[in-house]
């Protein structure tokens, strides 16, 4: 019997299960098929720090949320329309996010007395009427998977492991997603384990057929492709986008790429990704600790490489002294901080924006650095190139502040043509730059470019440039050790002026105010771009006016920022911290911004921010 | 000296002018305390560098923090005075990315063994192409006289008025434990020996650790005096020479032999016979004997202190392996194309 096909304009699905259930993989595959169909999409993986917390417990729940639509979208969605719960723990941990009337697909096989007790269910929620508000599809996913794999030479336990593919097959049928990509993915992934490969394919196909034949699902959904600019697209998450940005920056500047890094969640994937690109001449060095990660990068920068260190908040803390050295040596260096919940170990797998002030001030002495923050997973690529440009042109450490949400969240990316990317030149010093009164020529390592105030980048191996520098204060120009009070005062101010001078090369902050009549500006930075944008749409859809601006350059700020702030009656600054940008804005521009803060380890929800905007509008 | 003497430096460009010690003196005024052992080391290094025959601009000295770490300022090469303990990490990044440089690390007992201990052992195990000169004066000089990781237990210093409780490190034992491929010890005042050891270190591919006993005449004067004093030194100190029997004493009356129980000890040659005296083998793959030799010295009395090259074996350097890996991947897959990298494997077209 042909089933009814219902057209939807958007759907939010959340897959939730045990850490070992393969939910991230299931989500990734569904995302890939969805991207291929041309829907716009945004994803949010949410997994515990433990590799395998005890099975069936609440701390062990791993989830993956995907928002896809026939129009452009900005967030992974506030609340799911569909929750796939692979066990009672997944149900309990996620049910509170599910709006009434939403679809709920539960794996009944896992709702055993023991599993229910593990998470504190006194009775089976599938049977006791507590889920009546939802459209429940009770499906015996595990046993049907085992049944489908009867002919395979494998243990029952191994067969059960394919239940995520069964669920994926069912969901792909339900939302009319193609299968080819997933099937070829499974063939490649298990090429060396043919039995496992065939079993996973069989489970996927069985799930698909089940959807087609069962009466439990009477409707199949279709979501048309979203209108998008013409071009080649791929799906991308933030960490690979940073990695690609680094390889691109290396090509665009003609500098060899060196990464010195120590593994840390959620930044390690950049190290993994770059270590795959040796054919681009990329050197990756897994150091003995965070300090050696940046130390080796400083050494490579001194030697003339595009040098990078990647880390998260705790690693930045360890690198602080070395960052100060790079500030003093005035060498190009990228410090990529994929922020996570803090302080201390904090929430390793959850997102936060709480390292802004650490990046800004977390060093001894006056040690200014440039700071840049990408606003979406794909923007990580462009922000990385911009960070590299500033580092190289101004001979300075530059922070790139990504976060856990950008690192793991994904979206479609219109892949840029390499020809369209900006090139930038290292302009290494090639010979003496100073002539004494007696005519002797010499090299002064701290003689600055009058425009950028950058010092020469003098690679060892260049004849005539032999010089000695270090972390001790240097005499202006000649660069020898100097303890002179007036010289130190001058050098401190010069280093600050050099960072300030970067503002001349960065674009003005743009304000999105469709009506031009807004009295309230909502201003964000980093990964809050999507939720803030979606919130503005909600507010505008109700006929209210709000302006939106987003800062990419956090130090120095864009030159017009002060004027922008002063043009509005109220400025709302939402941040996933306790008001770090707000503090900087108040200090620099004396504008009493409205700080809105949330540190739950998760991105803002757009309806939450819409409410904040509406409240401020009402208060005018 | 022909460059063939330094096979580890084949990738470093050679000088096209004749160099002398004077060419390696920078215009900076040397600011160590008068009488400091660092002067002798500086002078020996300046005199030795022309031997390498390298272009001056391809030599880099990297240091940490401490009195010894001011060393690079006084050499007319590239010099980087970094932060406390981190010189091996910084030099690792430099040497790994620049095979055309001769990279030297200058450090002290506090810098290398206390705050920078981790970087030191990891540089040694990786075998990065670095020459590390560790000036050991058994005291913190620049912070004015606290005990260091090599100070003898019980030492009275500003921070240990009742005597230090710390047991001391033996840098040579530590380096051998980290499986360093080149480990040597020498003395600031013995210019000839110091130069020989530097030469051997420079010829070595990979990390070379050279511990230099250095005198701090302000805060720990005479720490190594028994090894310098004409009356006592021959009795206390054994000079290790590859392929030679390990003998010392004024008349060579003492030697090192393996005991029936298996351990190594100092014996009277007359008691055991010349044939029982061990022949020093710096190239032995197994670091066991080198380690045993490093344990003979008494850290308090300095009796039975070996100097010379304990170990000098071949293991490919980290930077060479990295280069070879990049080359072999590039050969296998071809050079990278940025556009196809950006596209990835899973794209779709919107028209």
């Amino acid at each position: 019997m042909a089933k009814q096909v219902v057209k939807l304009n958007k759907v939010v699905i959340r897959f939730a299960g045990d850490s070992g259930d393969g939910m991230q993989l299931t989500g990734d595959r569904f995302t890939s098929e969805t991207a291929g169909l041309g829907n716009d999409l945004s994803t949010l993986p949410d997994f515990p720090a433990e590799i395998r917390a005890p099975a069936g417990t609440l701390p062990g729940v791993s989830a993956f949320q995907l928002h896809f639509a026939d129009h452009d979208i900005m967030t992974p969605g506030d609340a799911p329309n569909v929750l796939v719960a692979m066990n009672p723990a997944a149900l309990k941990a996620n049910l509170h996010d599910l709006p009434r009337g939403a679809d709920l697909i539960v794996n009944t096989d896992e709702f055993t007395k023991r599993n229910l007790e593990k998470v504190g269910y006194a009775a089976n929620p599938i049977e006791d009427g507590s889920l009546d508000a939802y459209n429940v599809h009770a499906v015996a996913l595990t046993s049907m998977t085992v049944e489908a794999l009867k002919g395979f030479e494998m243990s029952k336990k191994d067969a059960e492991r394919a239940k995520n593919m069964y669920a994926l097959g069912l969901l792909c049928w339900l939302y009319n997603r193609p299968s080819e990509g997933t099937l070829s993915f499974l063939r490649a992934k298990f090429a060396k384990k043919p039995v496992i490969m065939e079993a996973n394919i069989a489970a996927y196909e069985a799930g698909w057929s089940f959807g087609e034949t069962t009466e439990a699902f009477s409707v199949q959904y279709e979501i048309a492709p979203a209108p998008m600019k013409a071009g080649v697209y791929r799906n991308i998450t933030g960490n690979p986008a940073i990695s690609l940005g680094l390889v691109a920056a290396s090509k665009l500047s003609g500098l060899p790429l060196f990464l010195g890094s120590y593994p840390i969640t959620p930044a390690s994937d950049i190290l993994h990704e770059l270590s795959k690109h040796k054919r681009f001449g990329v050197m990756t060095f897994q150091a003995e600790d965070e300090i050696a990660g940046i130390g080796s990068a400083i050494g490579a920068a001194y030697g003339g490489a595009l040098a990078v260190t990647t880390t998260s908040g705790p690693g930045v803390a360890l690198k602080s002294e070395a960052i100060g050295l790079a500030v003093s040596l005035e060498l190009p260096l990228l410090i990529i901080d994929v922020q996570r919940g803090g302080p201390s170990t904090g929430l390793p797998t959850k997102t936060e924006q709480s390292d802004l002030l650490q990046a800004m001030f977390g060093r001894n002495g006056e040690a200014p650095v440039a700071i840049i923050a990408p606003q979406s997973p794909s923007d990580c690529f462009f922000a990385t190139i911009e960070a590299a440009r500033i580092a190289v042109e101004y001979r300075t450490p530059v922070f790139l502040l990504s976060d856990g949400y950008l690192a793991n969240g994904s979206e479609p990316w219109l892949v840029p043509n390499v020809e369209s990317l900006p090139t930038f030149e290292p302009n290494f010093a090639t010979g003496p730059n100073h002539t004494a009164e007696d005519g002797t020529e010499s090299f002064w390592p701290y003689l600055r470019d009058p425009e950028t105030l950058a010092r020469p980048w003098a690679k060892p191996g260049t004849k005539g440039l032999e010089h000695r520098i270090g972390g001790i204060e240097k005499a202006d120009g000649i660069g020898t050790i100097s303890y002179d009070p007036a010289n130190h005062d001058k050098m401190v101010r010069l280093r600050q002026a050099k960072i300030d001078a970067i503002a001349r090369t960065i674009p003005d902050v743009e304000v999105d105010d469709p009506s031009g009549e807004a009295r309230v500006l909502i201003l964000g930075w980093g990964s809050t771009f999507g939720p803030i944008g979606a919130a503005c749409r909600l507010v505008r859809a109700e006929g209210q006016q709000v302006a939106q601006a987003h800062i990419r350059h956090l130090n120095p700020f864009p030159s017009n920022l002060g004027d922008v702030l002063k043009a509005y009656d109220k400025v709302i600054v939402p941040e996933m911290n306790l008001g770090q940008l707000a503090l900087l804005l108040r200090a620099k521009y004396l504008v009493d911004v409205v700080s809105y803060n949330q540190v739950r380890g998760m991105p803002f929800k757009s309806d939450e921010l819409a409410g904040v905007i509406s409240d401020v509008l009402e208060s005018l | 000296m022909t460059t063939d003497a330094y096979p580890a430096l084949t990738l470093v460009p050679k000088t096209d002018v004749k160099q002398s010690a004077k060419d390696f003196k920078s215009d900076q005024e040397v600011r160590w305390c008068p009488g400091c052992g660092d002067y002798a080391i500086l002078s020996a290094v300046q005199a030795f560098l022309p031997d390498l025959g390298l272009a001056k601009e391809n030599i880099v000295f990297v240091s940490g923090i401490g009195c010894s770490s001011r060393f690079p300022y006084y050499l007319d090469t590239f010099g980087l005075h970094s932060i406390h303990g981190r010189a091996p990490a910084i030099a690792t990044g430099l040497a790994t990315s620049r095979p055309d440089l001769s990279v030297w690390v200058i450090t002290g007992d506090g810098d290398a063994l206390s705050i920078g201990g981790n970087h030191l052992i990891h540089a040694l195990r990786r075998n990065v192409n670095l020459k590390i000169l560790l000036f050991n004066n058994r005291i913190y000089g620049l912070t004015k006289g606290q005990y260091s990781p090599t100070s003898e237990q019980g030492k009275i210093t500003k921070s240990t008025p009742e005597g230090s409780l710390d047991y001391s490190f033996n840098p040579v034992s530590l380096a051998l434990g980290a499986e360093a491929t080149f480990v040597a010890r020498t003395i600031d005042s013995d210019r000839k020996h110091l130069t020989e050891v530097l030469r051997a270190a420079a010829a070595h591919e990979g990390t070379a650790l050279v511990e230099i006993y250095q005198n701090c005449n302000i805060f720990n004067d005479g720490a190594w005096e028994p090894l310098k004093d004409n009356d006592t030194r021959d009795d206390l100190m054994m000079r290790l020479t590859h392929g030679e029997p390990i003998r010392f004493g004024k008349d060579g009356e003492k030697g090192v032999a393996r005991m029936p129980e298996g351990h190594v000890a100092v014996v009277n040659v007359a008691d055991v016979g010349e044939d029982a005296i061990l022949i020093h083998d710096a190239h032995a793959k197994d670091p066991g004997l080198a380690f045993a030799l490093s344990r003979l010295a008494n850290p308090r009395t300095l009796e039975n202190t070996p100097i010379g090259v304990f170990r000098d074996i071949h293991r490919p350097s980290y930077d060479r392996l990295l280069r070879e890996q990049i080359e072999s991947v590039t050969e296998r897959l071809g050079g990278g194309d940025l556009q196809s990298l950006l596209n990835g494997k899973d794209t779709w077209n919107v028209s």
Side-chain angles (χ1 to χ4, degrees):
Chain A
M1 187 184 74
K3 296 202 174 176
Q4 188 194 348
V5 174
V6 173
K7 289 192 186 303
L8 298 176
N9 58 14
K10 62 168 191 158
V11 178
V12 178
I13 299 180
R14 186 182 296 176
F15 297 93
D18 210 46
S19 299
D21 282 346
M23 291 299 96
Q24 301 304 322
L25 175 70
T26 309
D28 277 344
R29 287 316 315 161
F30 194 93
T31 302
S32 189
E33 299 304 347
T34 296
L37 267 183
N39 294 124
D40 195 10
L41 65 87
S42 174
T43 67
L44 174 67
D46 180 23
F47 46 87
E50 292 75 17
I51 302 303
R52 293 281 162 86
T57 62
L58 289 172
V61 174
S62 171
F64 185 100
Q65 184 163 310
L66 165 71
H67 183 190
F68 59 106
D70 67 357
H71 55 279
D72 82 303
I73 52 172
M74 306 189 74
T75 74
D78 287 0
N81 306 108
V82 189
L83 172 65
V84 180
M86 299 298 282
N87 65 10
L91 178 69
K92 186 150 200 180
N94 290 283
L95 193 62
H96 57 88
D97 285 336
L98 203 65
R100 300 168 75 83
D103 282 304
L104 174 59
I105 299 171
V106 287
N107 177 14
T108 53
D109 288 324
E110 297 296 321
F111 282 66
T112 60
K113 189 161 177 290
R114 191 159 166 269
N115 282 352
L116 291 165
E117 278 169 3
K118 267 189 199 170
V119 293
Y121 276 126
N124 188 340
I126 304 175
E127 293 160 359
D128 70 0
S130 61
L131 301 177
D132 285 354
Y134 309 98
N135 185 17
V136 178
H137 305 273
V139 185
L141 285 171
T142 312
S143 52
M144 288 197 296
T145 306
V146 172
E147 180 67 24
L149 302 186
K150 235 178 183 171
F152 287 85
E153 276 189 29
M154 60 196 323
S155 67
K156 182 162 171 268
K157 206 167 167 225
D158 280 345
E160 284 178 357
R161 292 185 59 185
K163 63 181 181 291
N164 63 328
M165 285 300 117
Y166 191 98
L168 179 62
L170 173 58
L171 269 289
C172 282
W173 170 80
L174 188 60
Y175 290 98
N176 218 348
R177 308 286 102 178
S179 302
E180 294 75 26
T182 296
L183 298 183
S184 59
F185 168 83
L186 290 172
R187 282 187 202 109
K189 182 172 167 74
F190 298 115
K192 286 180 184 151
K193 297 172 181 167
V195 177
I196 306 278
M197 180 218 293
E198 291 301 334
N200 273 283
I201 290 173
Y204 176 89
E205 286 173 341
W208 178 284
S209 307
F210 172 73
E212 206 167 29
T213 52
T214 183
E215 290 179 7
F217 293 94
S218 56
V219 181
Q220 195 182 15
Y221 299 103
E222 258 182 27
I223 295 89
M228 289 189 183
K229 252 177 92 175
V232 176
Y233 283 79
R234 68 177 287 183
N235 199 47
I236 198 152
T237 54
N239 278 344
I242 287 175
S243 313
L244 297 183
L246 290 171
V247 178
S250 158
K251 281 268 177 189
L252 296 168
S253 60
L255 296 168
L257 182 62
F258 180 94
L259 171 69
S261 181
Y262 186 75
I264 185 170
T265 302
S268 305
D269 278 342
I270 304 172
L271 169 62
H272 304 161
E273 180 70 23
L274 282 177
S275 62
K276 288 188 235 164
H277 301 315
K278 296 201 162 61
R279 57 196 295 205
F280 287 85
V282 176
M283 294 169 274
T284 55
F285 174 66
Q286 183 176 315
E288 59 271 20
D289 59 25
E290 293 280 359
I291 300 172
I294 188 170
S296 60
I298 290 173
Y302 179 75
L306 179 62
V308 188
T309 189
T310 50
T311 189
S312 187
V316 174
L318 286 163
K319 294 177 196 294
S320 295
E321 189 195 14
I323 297 170
L325 175 67
V327 167
S328 182
L329 292 175
E330 303 192 37
L331 285 172
L333 177 69
L334 292 187
I335 303 144
I336 294 171
D337 175 6
V338 186
Q339 301 166 94
R340 67 189 217 188
S344 188
T345 307
L347 303 173
T349 59
K350 311 292 181 194
T351 196
E352 211 163 278
Q353 294 182 296
S354 45
D355 291 345
L356 175 58
L357 295 183
Q358 178 176 226
M360 190 76 190
F361 299 120
R363 290 165 293 284
N364 63 306
E366 297 286 350
V369 296
I371 306 172
I372 289 183
Q375 63 182 32
S376 72
S378 65
D379 186 46
C380 286
F381 175 80
F382 299 104
T384 300
I385 294 175
E386 170 69 348
R389 175 194 72 84
I390 292 175
V392 168
E393 287 181 357
Y394 288 85
R395 326 297 200 206
T396 177
V398 179
F399 261 97
L400 185 78
L401 290 181
S402 179
D403 65 27
Y405 168 45
L406 295 179
N408 295 314
S410 72
E411 63 178 0
W413 180 37
L414 173 59
V415 182
N417 189 323
V418 169
E419 310 294 323
S420 71
L421 299 172
T423 57
F424 49 98
E425 298 294 327
N427 290 323
F428 289 111
T430 53
N433 58 358
H434 179 261
T435 310
E437 280 177 18
D438 67 358
T440 353
E441 294 198 316
S442 59
F443 177 67
W444 281 23
Y446 279 77
L447 206 57
R448 292 169 193 280
D449 178 285
E451 180 67 22
T452 60
L453 299 180
R455 78 174 190 91
W457 192 0
K459 271 197 297 187
T462 319
K463 205 176 175 69
L465 301 192
E466 296 90 330
H467 67 279
R468 280 66 50 193
I469 53 173
I472 299 184
E473 188 60 280
K474 289 149 290 278
D476 181 30
I478 191 168
T480 48
I481 291 180
S482 168
Y483 300 111
D484 176 60
N487 176 74
H488 178 59
D489 187 86
K490 185 174 188 191
M491 290 296 276
V492 166
R493 290 171 198 280
L494 273 171
R495 285 187 285 262
Q496 182 64 53
K498 182 179 79 166
I499 298 301
D500 294 342
I502 297 168
R504 285 188 221 134
T505 67
I506 64 181
D508 278 351
V509 63
E510 285 178 26
V511 179
D512 174 40
D513 179 9
S515 70
E517 291 166 6
R519 293 170 61 198
V520 170
L521 171 74
I522 182 160
L523 177 80
W525 68 277
S527 74
T528 55
F529 176 73
I532 292 174
C536 289
R537 284 183 186 178
L538 291 173
V539 169
R540 289 167 189 163
E542 286 174 11
Q544 294 177 298
Q545 317 299 336
V546 64
Q548 186 197 356
H550 210 73
I551 315 183
R552 177 194 202 70
H553 295 90
L554 291 143
N555 197 39
F557 285 132
S559 308
N560 68 331
L561 185 59
D563 293 340
V564 168
L565 294 176
K566 284 166 186 155
Y568 293 88
D569 293 348
K570 288 274 182 196
V571 178
I572 309 170
V573 181
E575 294 178 83
M576 295 187 289
N577 59 43
L578 295 185
Q580 301 194 5
L581 175 63
L583 183 82
L584 297 177
L585 295 174
R586 286 175 181 158
K588 187 166 168 85
Y589 301 108
L590 298 176
V591 170
D592 185 21
V593 301
V594 179
S595 191
Y596 180 74
N597 315 106
Q598 174 262 97
V599 276
R600 293 186 299 245
M602 297 290 278
F604 284 110
K605 292 187 170 165
S606 45
D607 63 354
E608 168 191 6
L609 291 179
V612 172
I613 299 170
S614 297
D615 287 350
V616 172
L617 286 171
E618 271 171 38
S619 75
L620 288 179
Chain B
M1 177 78 48
T2 65
T3 50
D4 293 337
Y6 300 100
L9 297 171
T10 49
L11 297 176
V12 184
K14 307 298 173 285
T15 180
D16 45 15
V17 292
K18 194 168 160 47
Q19 298 165 336
S20 70
K22 206 170 139 264
D23 295 318
F24 287 94
K25 286 182 182 153
S26 79
D27 57 2
Q28 294 294 293
E29 180 196 0
V30 184
R31 293 192 195 164
W32 288 309
C33 309
C36 177
D38 289 355
Y39 283 95
I41 305 172
L42 176 63
S43 160
V45 168
Q46 285 166 336
F48 150 78
L49 283 174
D51 273 11
L52 297 177
L54 302 176
K56 242 176 26 165
E57 62 271 19
N58 289 76
I59 301 174
V60 185
F61 278 79
V62 183
S63 63
I65 292 292
C67 293
S68 60
S69 288
R70 299 296 178 98
F71 199 91
Y73 287 113
Y74 309 133
L75 286 168
D76 194 24
T77 63
F78 274 82
L80 187 56
H81 180 210
S82 74
I83 43 177
H84 208 9
R86 317 303 172 201
I90 291 168
T92 291
L94 180 62
T96 299
S97 57
R98 292 291 304 273
D100 60 328
L101 301 178
S102 168
V103 182
W104 298 73
V105 169
I106 305 291
T107 183
D109 39 318
D111 192 54
L113 301 171
S114 204
I115 194 167
N118 198 34
H119 307 306
L120 180 74
I121 56 174
H122 287 278
L124 294 172
R125 80 173 163 93
R126 282 194 194 102
N127 202 33
V128 186
N129 208 358
L130 303 174
K131 313 304 156 206
I132 303 175
L133 309 186
L134 193 169
F135 296 13
N136 181 6
N137 55 20
R138 310 186 89 179
I139 199 77
Y140 280 87
L142 200 59
T143 51
K144 301 187 178 177
Q146 302 82 10
Y147 72 106
S148 89
T150 56
S151 296
E152 56 279 20
Q153 200 173 30
K155 191 170 189 69
I156 307 283
T157 71
K158 274 188 189 155
S159 58
T160 53
E162 306 294 332
S164 84
L165 306 174
D166 285 30
Y167 188 73
S168 60
F169 261 143
N170 175 325
V172 169
S173 299
L174 183 79
L176 290 167
E179 299 203 48
T181 54
F182 182 101
V183 185
R185 178 186 287 147
T186 184
I187 300 185
D188 57 2
S189 54
D190 189 341
R191 171 91 163 236
K192 185 163 169 279
H193 190 263
L194 176 57
T195 306
E196 276 169 19
V197 167
L198 291 177
R199 200 168 277 146
H204 178 75
E205 180 192 332
T207 312
L209 180 91
V210 179
E211 181 190 18
I212 305 174
Y213 283 173
Q214 173 251 333
N215 190 43
C216 172
N217 59 322
I218 305 296
F219 295 107
N220 199 21
D221 195 22
W224 307 113
E225 196 50 33
L227 302 178
K228 301 177 177 187
D229 188 315
N230 281 341
D231 293 337
T232 53
R233 69 176 183 203
D234 292 340
D235 198 39
L236 297 177
M237 188 166 70
M238 61 186 91
R239 291 169 182 266
L240 302 174
T241 308
H242 176 73
E244 298 285 324
I246 307 170
R247 293 181 65 162
F248 65 112
K250 278 197 177 63
D251 304 309
E253 71 278 12
K254 290 192 273 192
V256 176
R258 194 169 289 284
M259 298 290 100
E261 299 82 6
H263 70 285
V264 163
V266 173
V267 295
N268 285 316
V269 178
D271 294 346
V272 297
E274 285 191 9
D275 291 350
I277 300 303
L278 289 170
I279 307 291
H280 181 50
D281 181 6
H283 306 323
K285 280 278 174 214
D286 187 322
L289 186 57
F291 188 81
L293 291 172
S294 78
R295 305 310 301 161
L296 291 174
N298 180 325
R300 194 174 304 277
T301 63
L302 305 182
E303 279 170 291
N304 305 331
T305 299
I307 64 166
V309 178
F310 286 72
R311 187 175 205 223
D312 181 5
I313 63 151
H314 178 73
R315 192 168 79 220
S317 67
Y318 176 87
D319 36 302
R320 173 198 288 265
L321 293 173
L322 181 87
R323 278 196 305 282
E324 287 176 354
Q325 201 171 56
I326 289 174
E327 280 162 17
S328 85
V329 170
T330 309
E331 199 167 302
R332 198 171 73 234
L333 304 173
D337 175 66
L338 183 57
Q339 190 67 59
S340 36
L341 177 71
L342 299 191
N343 289 350
K345 289 179 186 149
D346 204 357
T347 57
W348 69 95
N349 274 290
V350 172
S351 46

